[in-house]
Amino acid sequence: MHSKVIIVGSGPAGHTAAIYAARANLEPVMFEGMMAGGVAPGGQLTTTTEVENFPGFPEGITGSELTDKYREQSTRFGTKIETETIAKVDLSSRPFKLWREDAEDQDPDTCDTLIVATGATAKRLHIKGEDEYWQRGMSACAVCDGAAPLFRNKPLVVIGGGDSACEEATFLTKYASHVYIAVRRDVFRASNIMAKRAANHPKITVLWNTHVTEAKGNGKVLTQVELKDAKTGATRDLDVSGLFYAIGHTPNTAFLGGQLDTDETGYLVVQPGTSKTKIPGVFAAGDVQDKHYRQAITAAGSGCMAALDAEKYLEELEAEAQESGSKL
């Protein structure tokens, strides 16, 4: 199957790109993935309960409901969605080639432009009790979920020792009665300014040399976590209503096979102010190229950029083909 535009990924970046591309009559095809990156089609939003900071929903909306609306809008304008995962690609020449998972020995899908919107998966420790209390007191995004009623005026714990952990803990003090930071070593990995800001905050307590080993609750929501002292091995319970992971993200780029440039932490590199990668015709949008903001609204904006960049690229190809007497 050949397409003018193929979009890999189905979060807010991918669907915004699809909506713009479809309305431009580019007949985009989206590979939304089947549990790609360990999450359902729709991306990280599907792991979020209440979304209260996305414009247009004054009463809030669940992450799953929002992704369903994205999907409905994409298909309404003609996007063809394949619920399959792309396993590998060949970007060495155009048309670009993409192979579906479990079909790597078959003929590839091809496209003139490719938009990579595969996101970045939050790292989790998968401690005991996590499966039961995920989204019921456990999260990997304080900015997304911290203001939820479940966490307001309650004690919370953040796991991590870097800038993200310090930043998210400080953010949570706006809503929590108190915030603990569980750091597995006796020192922060964070920058000095971030570490001092967190350590000196009156509503933050740093738990040094501490591992969180279990999530406990009442069967409905999280109420405690089990802590283990990294030096003595002693354990104790801590009453909290929320646990937030802040141990980093893994950009979902393995299927690209190193064909696109990444930074030192694995995020795709784009030309500043654009969605363009080092390969003409290949664009990146959303969290796969954004290690700073990682919000649905910023991902959607970059998806728009990718679609517009792809449309302009196709127009340039068409103009070149007409000048040379051939057709794209």
Side-chain angles (χ1 to χ4, degrees), residues 121-125 134 138-143 157-170 172 179-184 188-190 212 243-249 294:
T121 302
K123 295 178 181 178
R124 294 162 54 179
L125 296 179
W134 187 252
M138 300 183 70
S139 170
C141 182
V143 175
V157 61
V158 174
I159 298 178
D163 281 346
S164 292
C166 292
E167 185 175 0
E168 299 212 350
T170 303
L172 288 170
V179 180
Y180 300 91
I181 306 178
V183 184
R184 63 182 180 178
F188 278 122
R189 291 182 294 103
V212 178
L243 180 155
F244 291 84
Y245 283 126
I247 54 177
H249 291 71
R294 294 195 297 266

Side-chain angles (χ1 to χ4, degrees), residues 30 36 56 58 83-84 88 91 111 125 131 137-138 145 149 179 181 216 218 226 236 238 240 256 269 271 292 311 328:
M30 171 184 285
T83 308
E84 295 191 60
K88 66 177 183 178
L91 306 179
C111 60
L125 296 179
D131 289 342
M138 300 183 70
D145 300 330
V179 180
I181 306 178
K216 300 179 179 181
N218 57 15
E226 181 182 86
R236 65 184 178 95
L238 178 69
V240 293
L256 296 170
V269 174
Q271 297 177 25
H292 183 66
E311 181 182 8
L328 180 64

Side-chain angles (χ1 to χ4, degrees), residues 263-327:
D263 67 10
E264 67 281 359
T265 53
Y267 288 84
L268 293 182
V269 174
V270 296
Q271 297 177 25
T274 78
S275 66
K276 300 175 183 178
T277 69
K278 73 170 185 178
I279 298 178
V282 180
F283 309 92
D287 289 7
V288 74
Q289 54 83 54
D290 173 20
K291 64 181 179 182
H292 183 66
Y293 296 104
R294 294 195 297 266
Q295 298 297 302
I297 193 69
T298 51
S302 66
C304 167
M305 293 168 61
L308 295 177
D309 286 343
E311 181 182 8
K312 182 177 181 181
Y313 177 78
L314 288 169
E315 290 173 350
E316 292 171 350
L317 287 184
E318 184 68 31
E320 291 175 4
Q322 290 178 353
E323 287 181 5
S324 62
S326 61
K327 187 175 182 181

Side-chain angles (χ1 to χ4, degrees), residues 71-82:
R71 199 177 196 279
E72 182 181 349
Q73 192 169 357
S74 293
T75 55
R76 175 194 169 198
F77 289 112
T79 301
K80 181 179 180 182
I81 299 179
E82 301 280 356

Side-chain angles (χ1 to χ4, degrees), residues 34-328:
M34 178 58 74
M35 295 307 293
V39 296
Q44 290 290 301
L45 268 183
T46 62
T47 70
T48 300
T49 48
E50 290 296 319
V51 178
E52 297 181 319
N53 56 3
F54 198 91
F57 300 95
E59 302 302 320
I61 186 172
T62 70
S64 294
E65 287 173 339
L66 187 55
T67 56
D68 286 346
K69 288 183 179 292
Y70 287 153
R71 199 177 196 279
E72 182 181 349
Q73 192 169 357
S74 293
T75 55
R76 175 194 169 198
F77 289 112
T79 301
K80 181 179 180 182
I81 299 179
E82 301 280 356
T83 308
E84 295 191 60
T85 300
I86 294 300
K88 66 177 183 178
V89 300
D90 180 357
L91 306 179
S92 61
S93 62
R94 193 171 50 80
F96 305 122
K97 302 176 182 65
L98 301 87
W99 285 267
R100 306 182 188 205
E101 194 171 66
D102 300 323
E104 290 91 333
D105 58 346
Q106 299 180 21
D107 291 338
D109 294 278
T110 59
C111 60
D112 297 314
T113 60
L114 173 64
I115 296 176
V116 180
T118 45
T121 302
K123 295 178 181 178
R124 294 162 54 179
L125 296 179
H126 300 285
I127 60 176
K128 184 177 180 181
E130 183 165 328
D131 289 342
E132 182 176 2
Y133 292 108
W134 187 252
Q135 295 186 26
R136 294 195 290 168
M138 300 183 70
S139 170
C141 182
V143 175
C144 310
D145 300 330
L150 178 64
F151 305 122
R152 285 183 178 270
N153 301 310
K154 303 289 180 59
L156 310 174
V157 61
V158 174
I159 298 178
D163 281 346
S164 292
C166 292
E167 185 175 0
E168 299 212 350
T170 303
F171 173 82
L172 288 170
T173 60
K174 299 177 183 179
Y175 311 104
S177 60
H178 198 79
V179 180
Y180 300 91
I181 306 178
V183 184
R184 63 182 180 178
R185 302 188 300 174
D186 59 1
V187 64
F188 278 122
R189 291 182 294 103
S191 60
N192 285 336
I193 187 170
M194 292 299 295
K196 288 180 179 179
R197 185 177 300 167
N200 294 331
H201 198 290
K203 291 179 68 175
I204 292 177
T205 297
V206 182
L207 306 173
W208 302 111
N209 300 302
T210 300
H211 295 275
V212 178
T213 54
E214 183 177 353
K216 300 179 179 181
N218 57 15
K220 295 181 179 180
V221 295
L222 181 78
T223 59
Q224 288 184 327
V225 293
E226 181 182 86
L227 306 179
K228 181 178 180 180
D229 190 296
K231 291 186 174 181
T232 67
T235 62
R236 65 184 178 95
D237 289 338
L238 178 69
D239 291 337
V240 293
S241 294
L243 180 155
F244 291 84
Y245 283 126
I247 54 177
H249 291 71
T250 302
N252 299 313
T253 59
F255 74 102
L256 296 170
Q259 297 175 74
L260 296 177
D261 289 342
T262 61
D263 67 10
E264 67 281 359
T265 53
Y267 288 84
L268 293 182
V269 174
V270 296
Q271 297 177 25
T274 78
S275 66
K276 300 175 183 178
T277 69
K278 73 170 185 178
I279 298 178
V282 180
F283 309 92
D287 289 7
V288 74
Q289 54 83 54
D290 173 20
K291 64 181 179 182
H292 183 66
Y293 296 104
R294 294 195 297 266
Q295 298 297 302
I297 193 69
T298 51
S302 66
C304 167
M305 293 168 61
L308 295 177
D309 286 343
E311 181 182 8
K312 182 177 181 181
Y313 177 78
L314 288 169
E315 290 173 350
E316 292 171 350
L317 287 184
E318 184 68 31
E320 291 175 4
Q322 290 178 353
E323 287 181 5
S324 62
S326 61
K327 187 175 182 181
L328 180 64

